[in-house]
Amino acid sequence: MNRLHFFREIKKGVMDTVKEMTYPTIVDEVDRIEGVIEHATGVEWIELGNYDSSIPNKRWEIYKNGHTFIVFYKDQTLWAINPTCSKCGTILNWISFENVWKCFSCDSKFEFDNKEQLQSMRLPTKKVDGVWYVSDHKNRKAWFI
């Protein structure tokens, strides 16, 4: 081994050690900053719990912290939607034989198989330590400092 190769290995070892030592601190700081930003903008994460992805076509209607959510798996991803009509604000009703949510006030239909329609009602979700959370931030007014 020549001297140049030796010093390259030393540099690589020192850099790897520094990366491994600082990574947890950086991750903690990023999580803390995300929490501060979410608090400042009014984002509230509501715990949903654990949901089994092996049950096909299963929908859960959840009422937590004054919010109603419909939770289901679609394409191996947990979806949470706000079950209110985007046109008139009335609660939607699930019509199982048509596979749609229907608003009886304005006669709008939201098809379960139409991703574009569902995307407009979709709420952000995240999974932390095996527990699912949903944010109802679309219904809040964000403010910035």
Side-chain angles (χ1 to χ4, degrees), residues 11-29:
K11 176 185 165 190
K12 182 178 180 274
V14 169
M15 292 304 292
D16 288 346
T17 302
V18 169
K19 285 179 190 175
E20 288 181 24
M21 289 173 52
T22 58
Y23 180 75
T25 305
I26 292 171
V27 169
D28 290 344
E29 285 297 311

Side-chain angles (χ1 to χ4, degrees), residues 51-111:
Y51 292 93
D52 189 7
S53 64
S54 65
I55 304 172
N57 299 324
K58 175 72 175 163
R59 289 166 196 81
W60 297 275
E61 189 169 325
I62 300 162
Y63 183 77
K64 287 212 175 181
N65 295 357
H67 303 282
T68 303
F69 307 104
I70 295 174
V71 178
F72 55 91
Y73 274 92
K74 189 169 188 64
D75 301 330
Q76 302 299 323
T77 305
L78 186 84
W79 285 54
I81 64 167
N82 184 357
T84 57
C85 179
S86 58
K87 295 177 183 174
C88 68
T90 305
I91 297 290
L92 298 173
N93 296 285
W94 175 248
I95 311 296
S96 59
F97 66 90
E98 290 183 18
N99 216 21
V100 298
W101 282 281
K102 186 172 182 178
C103 175
F104 293 134
S105 295
C106 67
D107 211 28
S108 296
K109 287 185 180 181
F110 299 92
E111 298 176 14

Side-chain angles (χ1 to χ4, degrees), residues 25-49:
T25 305
I26 292 171
V27 169
D28 290 344
E29 285 297 311
V30 167
D31 289 343
R32 187 181 66 79
I33 290 169
E34 284 178 355
V36 168
I37 291 171
E38 288 172 354
H39 179 73
T41 56
V43 174
E44 175 187 3
W45 289 98
I46 301 167
E47 182 178 335
L48 293 177

Side-chain angles (χ1 to χ4, degrees), residues 131-143:
V131 178
W132 283 99
Y133 293 85
V134 64
S135 174
D136 197 20
H137 81 276
K138 284 187 177 181
N139 294 334
R140 300 176 181 272
K141 301 218 183 301
W143 57 274

